């Protein structure tokens, strides 16, 4: 057969066809190079902010909002206008970060490699029993999406550089006493007001709506009446706790663990020490003689604490009779340490000791002997820890096995479930917003709505929910997003439109009343016609007045009244009603001391300084924004 193909390909017709194929690939290849699409969301001074950067920042912000506001954010996210502003806010933050990074570069702000290394090693997230663990470090940064340690170091360097610049900026802010007095006077200011409330409900009876208005609103706002995309999944979980419950430990295992980790169950010997320090100064011999003279006084019965307070160069401990509190072996200078731990008996005093700091006289004031907890005392703790450690090792081993089986047998979870003796469960309906555990983690939700699960109907990849829990899913049921029919939402639309029109009519009425009121007309009868009267409130405060928040807020926005002008306005209340508001007098607030006020004002000034700094960077910057859409790929 191969011989026949080779012979046939030598003909003229075959060569012409082959030529067309080569030409097609060549043209397509050239086109692919010449038609590259710029997918960046913005340019800042010539540097692009990529779609990938936006996608990650967008998803991170969505997750934070979903965790903070729960179902409320799910409702908000159905509003296209809100989500458009949300996306623009993400881009604004990325632009601000880019400007700060560029300015840091221009100012030659750097973070040394040694500092990066030290920061990583001291981060508690990467420690086991207080010690840096490289395996935990690599596992955690991989889980966070940093597949090389250099990627995480670069990320940390950028964050620390930004923090170094911003902290240098905000740390210079401070508040002055007169500013604090002005602030407290304004905060404690009180106002006498009167207001009348116009109930919008009374206008609803006069509102008439046509079917056409309802239909037009429905067509123009269909996104508000969508059933969200939902999915149900079958799933299996692998967790450390379940594995640990099946681990069997022998007495020998427990004893070996105890002996290998004995330092965790030992309280080292501690000594409470007081000292007198005489520094060398310009004459070391004289300093030694002075120290020996003090030692002679102590040995003669004079009070150690009083002498420390009077003569010790370590003024901080000297104020406390020379007390250095509890110390363990190896903490102090070697000569000091050796002398302190050579003292026998509480109250005993050392000879004169020389260190790099000067000459010391050391006194033992209290003592705690080394204490080792017995195996019996810590057995339960050891069993739990040892089981957990063995389970953690088994967890990673089984994770690989589950990942392999769910990939090799993608049409069922049964094989993977059998390998770990798990039961296949079915979730409730899941959305892209807030869900119950373990579906409250963004990576799990993303996998549940991924193409491989929904469109290809295969097992998902194994997803790490946490360090101790992993999950694999496959589709059970899927419900696409859909617009509710008009018949289902007609009553809702009618109520919304009637309320809107009633509020507009109430607004017109209250605006007319305000004009008449400011002109000096007595509007008492007009108010009565709408079931309202003027209500007087004295000594209204900014907070805790018991009034509608909008009313109190507007009361403190209005100017101080004068003989020539009435200080009044209209207010939209939180319950949908309208109010006519007048400020009759302003009472000067009392200046009071507040222990935390200086810190609060400094924080506000620092925040304002940072925002001003970012705005100043925008003045001379070349910023090009492009229209952004919600990411099609969830991270």
């Amino acid at each position: 057969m191969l011989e026949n193909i080779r012979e046939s390909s030598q003909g003229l017709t075959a060569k012409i066809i082959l030529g067309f194929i080569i030409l097609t690939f060549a043209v397509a290849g050239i086109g692919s190079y010449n038609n590259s699409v710029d997918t960046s969301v913005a340019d800042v001074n010539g540097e692009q902010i990529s779609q990938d950067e936006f996608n990650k920042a967008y998803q991170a912000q969505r997750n934070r909002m979903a965790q903070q506001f729960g179902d409320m954010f799910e409702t908000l996210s159905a509003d296209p206008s809100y989500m458009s502003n949300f996306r623009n806010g993400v881009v604004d933050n990325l632009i601000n970060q880019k400007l700060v990074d560029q300015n840091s570069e221009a100012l030659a702000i750097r973070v040394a490699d040694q500092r990066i290394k030290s920061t990583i090693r001291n981060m508690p997230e990467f420690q086991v029993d207080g010690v840096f663990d490289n395996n935990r470090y690599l596992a955690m940064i991989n889980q966070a999406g940093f597949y090389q340690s250099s990627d995480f170091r670069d990320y940390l360097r950028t964050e620390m550089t930004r923090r170094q610049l911003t902290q240098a900026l905000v740390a210079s802010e401070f508040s002055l006493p007169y500013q604090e007095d002005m602030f407290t006077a304004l905060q404690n200011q009180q106002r006498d007001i009167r207001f009348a409330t116009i109930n919008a409900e009374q206008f609803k009876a006069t509102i008439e709506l046509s079917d056409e208005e309802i239909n037009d609103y429905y067509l123009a706002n269909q996104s508000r009446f969508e059933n969200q995309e939902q999915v149900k999944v079958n799933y299996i979980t692998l967790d450390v706790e379940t594995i640990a419950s099946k681990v069997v430990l022998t007495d020998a295992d427990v004893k070996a663990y105890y002996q290998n980790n004995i330092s965790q169950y030992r309280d080292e010997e501690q000594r409470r020490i007081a000292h007198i320090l005489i520094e060398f100064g310009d004459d070391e011999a004289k300093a030694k003689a002075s120290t020996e003279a003090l030692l002679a006084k102590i040995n003669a019965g004079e009070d150690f604490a009083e002498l420390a307070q009077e003569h010790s160069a370590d003024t901080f401990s000297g104020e406390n009779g020379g007390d250095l509190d509890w110390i363990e072996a190896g903490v102090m200078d070697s000569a000091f340490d050796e002398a302190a731990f050579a003292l026998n008996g509480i109250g005993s005093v050392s000879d004169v000791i020389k260190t790099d700091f000067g000459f010391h006289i050391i006194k033992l004031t209290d003592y705690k002997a080394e204490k080792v907890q017995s195996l019996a005392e810590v057995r339960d703790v050891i069993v739990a820890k040892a089981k957990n450690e063995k389970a953690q090792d088994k967890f990673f081993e089984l994770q690989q096995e589950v990942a392999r089986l769910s990939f090799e047998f993608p049409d069922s979870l049964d094989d993977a479930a059998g390998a770990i003796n798990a039961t296949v469960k079915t979730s409730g309906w899941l959305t892209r917003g807030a869900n119950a555990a373990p579906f409250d983690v963004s990576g799990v939700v993303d996998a549940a709505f991924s193409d491989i699960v929904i469109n290809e109907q295969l097992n998902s990849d194994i997803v790490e929910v946490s360090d101790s829990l992993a999950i694999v899913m496959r589709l059970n049921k899927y419900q696409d997003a859909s617009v509710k029919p008009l018949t289902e939402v007609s009553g809702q639309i009618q109520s919304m439109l009637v309320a809107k029109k009633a509020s507009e009519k109430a607004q017109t009425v209250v605006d007319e009343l305000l004009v008449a009121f400011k002109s000096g007309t007595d509007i008492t009868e007009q108010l009565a016609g709408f079931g309202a009267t003027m209500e007087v409130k004295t000594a209204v405060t900014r907070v805790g007045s018991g009034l509608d928040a909008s009313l109190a807020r507007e009361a403190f926005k209005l100017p101080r009244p004068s003989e020539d002008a009435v200080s009044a306005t209209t207010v939209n209340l939180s319950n949908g009603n309208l109010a006519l508001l007048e400020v009759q007098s302003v009472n000067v607030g009392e200046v009071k001391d507040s222990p935390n006020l200086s810190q609060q004002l400094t924080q506000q000034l620092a925040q304002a300084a940072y925002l001003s700094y970012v705005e100043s960077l925008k003045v001379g910057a070349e910023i090009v924004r492009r229209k952004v859409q919600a990411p099609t790929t969830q991270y």
Side-chain angles (χ1 to χ4, degrees):
M1 177 181 284
L2 293 176
E3 186 68 25
N4 291 337
I5 292 173
R6 186 171 65 250
E7 291 176 358
S8 299
S9 66
Q10 304 304 312
L12 178 62
T13 302
K15 290 181 178 179
I16 292 173
I17 293 171
L18 184 60
F20 273 120
I21 293 172
I22 293 171
L23 180 63
T24 301
F25 277 108
V27 172
I30 294 169
S32 68
Y33 283 102
N34 290 336
N35 293 295
S36 60
V37 178
D38 181 6
T39 60
S40 62
V41 298
D43 286 350
V44 181
N45 293 323
E47 290 189 41
Q48 291 185 340
I49 297 174
S50 68
Q51 181 70 40
D52 184 57
E53 288 178 273
F54 168 76
N55 291 350
K56 290 178 179 178
Y58 172 87
Q59 195 59 40
Q61 184 64 9
R62 270 194 68 110
N63 293 340
R64 283 193 292 269
M65 295 290 286
Q67 289 179 359
Q68 185 174 356
F69 297 106
D71 293 340
M72 183 186 297
F73 180 71
E74 191 173 332
T75 302
L76 290 172
S77 63
D79 183 351
S81 176
Y82 175 84
M83 292 311 294
S84 175
N85 292 333
F86 183 85
R87 291 191 294 272
N88 288 334
V90 173
V91 175
D92 286 339
N93 288 337
L94 290 172
I95 289 173
N96 292 346
Q97 286 181 358
K98 184 67 73 175
L99 287 168
V100 171
D101 292 345
Q102 291 173 349
N103 194 232
S104 297
E105 184 72 22
L107 295 172
I109 296 176
R110 301 288 187 271
V111 178
D113 291 341
Q114 187 59 37
R115 187 178 172 197
I116 298 289
K117 182 179 179 180
S118 175
T119 299
I120 290 173
R121 296 187 68 85
N122 288 314
M123 291 176 71
E125 296 87 347
F126 305 143
Q127 295 180 357
V128 175
D129 295 329
V131 179
F132 176 78
D133 186 280
N134 194 60
N135 291 331
R136 180 177 177 83
Y137 164 65
L138 294 175
M140 292 199 71
I141 65 172
N142 285 341
Q143 186 177 347
F146 300 99
Y147 299 111
Q148 295 184 14
S149 58
S150 58
D151 294 337
F152 179 73
R153 289 198 301 270
D154 291 343
Y155 163 79
L156 191 61
R157 189 188 305 276
T158 300
E159 289 298 312
M160 290 177 70
T161 302
R162 288 173 185 164
R163 195 177 304 120
Q164 186 171 329
L165 176 60
T166 54
Q167 285 181 344
L169 177 71
V170 302
S172 62
E173 292 297 327
F174 58 89
S175 65
L176 296 171
Y178 86 90
Q179 293 174 311
E180 296 168 20
D181 290 345
M182 289 175 60
F183 182 84
T184 55
L186 283 171
Q187 282 294 97
N188 296 325
Q189 187 185 92
Q190 297 179 340
R191 298 195 167 199
D192 297 336
I193 66 171
R194 60 175 180 160
F195 63 94
T197 303
I198 305 297
N199 193 330
E201 194 74 23
Q202 62 187 297
F203 299 101
K204 288 185 177 181
T206 64
I207 305 300
E208 294 183 359
L209 288 176
S210 65
D211 292 340
E212 184 179 1
E213 286 179 285
I214 295 174
N215 188 61
D216 288 346
Y217 186 89
Y218 173 74
L219 294 175
N221 298 275
Q222 289 198 345
S223 61
R224 300 186 64 174
F225 307 111
E226 281 187 348
N227 288 313
Q228 290 194 28
E229 178 185 24
Q230 292 181 304
V231 65
K232 276 187 179 182
V233 294
N234 296 331
Y235 67 98
I236 57 172
T237 56
L238 174 68
D239 69 278
V240 170
E241 187 176 346
T242 301
I243 299 171
S245 67
K246 299 175 182 177
V247 173
V248 177
L249 295 176
T250 64
D251 289 341
D253 292 332
V254 177
K255 186 176 182 180
Y257 189 96
Y258 173 74
Q259 291 173 341
N260 291 335
N261 297 275
I262 191 67
S263 61
Q264 297 181 26
Y265 312 109
R266 176 190 292 122
D267 293 329
E268 299 289 345
E269 175 189 357
Q270 289 185 318
R271 295 189 168 214
R272 188 155 195 162
I273 296 296
H275 83 137
I276 297 173
L277 169 64
I278 304 299
E279 294 177 332
F280 298 138
D282 297 329
D283 189 340
E284 184 175 326
K286 182 179 178 181
K288 183 176 182 181
S290 297
T291 312
E292 289 174 340
L294 287 172
L295 179 60
K297 290 181 179 181
I298 294 168
N299 290 334
E302 291 194 33
D303 187 72
F304 186 99
E306 290 181 2
L307 291 172
Q309 191 170 9
E310 183 179 352
H311 297 285
S312 181
D314 182 359
T315 54
F316 182 78
S317 68
E319 292 176 357
N320 297 300
D323 184 39
L324 291 175
D325 213 327
W326 294 97
I327 65 169
E328 294 180 358
V331 173
M332 309 297 284
D333 178 276
S334 58
F336 188 104
D337 198 69
E338 184 179 345
F341 280 82
L343 293 171
N344 292 314
I346 295 173
S348 59
V349 178
S350 72
D351 292 329
V352 173
I353 306 299
K354 181 182 178 181
T355 71
D356 292 340
F357 300 98
F359 293 104
H360 304 260
I361 303 170
I362 304 170
K363 179 180 180 180
L364 178 64
T365 60
D366 206 349
Y367 172 78
K368 290 180 183 177
E370 178 187 76
K371 180 182 178 183
V372 179
Q373 293 176 284
S374 68
L375 175 58
E377 289 177 297
V378 295
R379 182 181 180 83
D380 291 343
V381 174
I382 287 177
V383 168
K385 290 185 71 172
K387 281 189 173 184
N388 187 72
E389 288 180 11
K390 286 181 177 291
Q392 197 74 52
D393 293 338
K394 190 67 175 177
F395 174 73
F396 290 118
E397 177 187 327
L398 291 177
Q399 235 183 312
Q400 300 301 317
E401 182 66 6
V402 169
R404 182 184 69 81
L405 291 172
S406 60
F407 176 78
E408 291 181 358
F409 303 96
D411 296 324
S412 171
L413 291 172
D414 292 341
D415 294 278
I420 59 173
N421 196 27
T423 302
V424 178
K425 302 175 185 176
T426 302
S427 72
W429 284 109
L430 308 175
T431 69
R432 290 189 183 272
N435 300 292
F439 305 99
D440 55 344
V441 177
S442 60
V444 180
V445 175
D446 295 343
F449 283 91
S450 64
D451 286 340
I452 193 172
V453 171
I454 292 176
N455 296 327
E456 299 180 36
Q457 298 190 18
L458 302 175
N459 295 336
S460 72
D461 295 330
I462 191 165
V463 181
E464 288 190 9
V465 183
S466 66
D467 291 342
S468 59
L469 177 65
I471 187 171
V472 181
M473 298 165 282
R474 65 176 293 101
L475 183 67
N476 180 283
K477 291 180 182 178
Y478 176 73
Q479 179 178 295
D480 201 354
S482 60
V483 179
K484 298 175 184 177
L486 176 59
T487 53
E488 185 178 335
V489 297
S490 178
Q492 179 184 349
I493 293 173
Q494 184 172 7
S495 297
M496 291 167 59
L497 290 178
V498 167
K500 181 174 179 291
K501 287 178 176 286
S503 182
E504 290 171 353
K505 197 163 185 178
Q507 185 68 61
T508 301
V509 168
V510 79
D511 286 343
E512 292 173 352
L513 289 170
L514 177 63
V515 171
F517 184 69
K518 282 188 170 184
S519 69
T521 303
D522 185 355
I523 60 171
T524 304
E525 291 186 9
Q526 290 172 271
L527 288 172
F530 296 105
T533 57
M534 278 291 190
E535 184 178 350
V536 176
K537 287 283 186 180
T538 59
V540 173
T541 56
R542 292 179 185 272
V543 181
S545 62
L547 298 174
D548 185 286
S550 300
L551 196 66
R553 185 167 52 250
E554 290 298 325
F556 282 89
K557 286 183 180 180
L558 285 170
R560 187 185 297 268
S562 65
E563 295 181 2
D564 302 326
V566 175
S567 183
T569 189
T570 63
V571 182
N572 291 296
L573 303 179
S574 56
N575 59 7
N577 293 333
L578 283 296
L580 175 66
L581 168 68
E582 179 196 14
V583 171
Q584 294 183 298
S585 65
V586 175
N587 308 317
V588 177
E590 181 183 354
V591 176
K592 296 180 180 179
D593 290 334
S594 176
N596 298 321
L597 181 58
S598 178
Q599 182 181 358
Q600 293 171 4
L601 286 180
T602 300
Q603 289 175 347
Q604 291 176 12
L605 289 168
Q607 184 177 8
Y610 177 75
L611 294 175
S612 298
Y613 156 72
V614 173
E615 290 303 314
S616 71
L617 295 179
K618 291 180 179 179
V619 172
E622 295 181 5
I623 300 173
V624 179
R625 298 176 61 108
R626 298 179 179 87
K627 187 175 181 181
V628 293
Q629 301 292 336
T632 54
T633 301
Q634 300 293 322
Y635 284 81

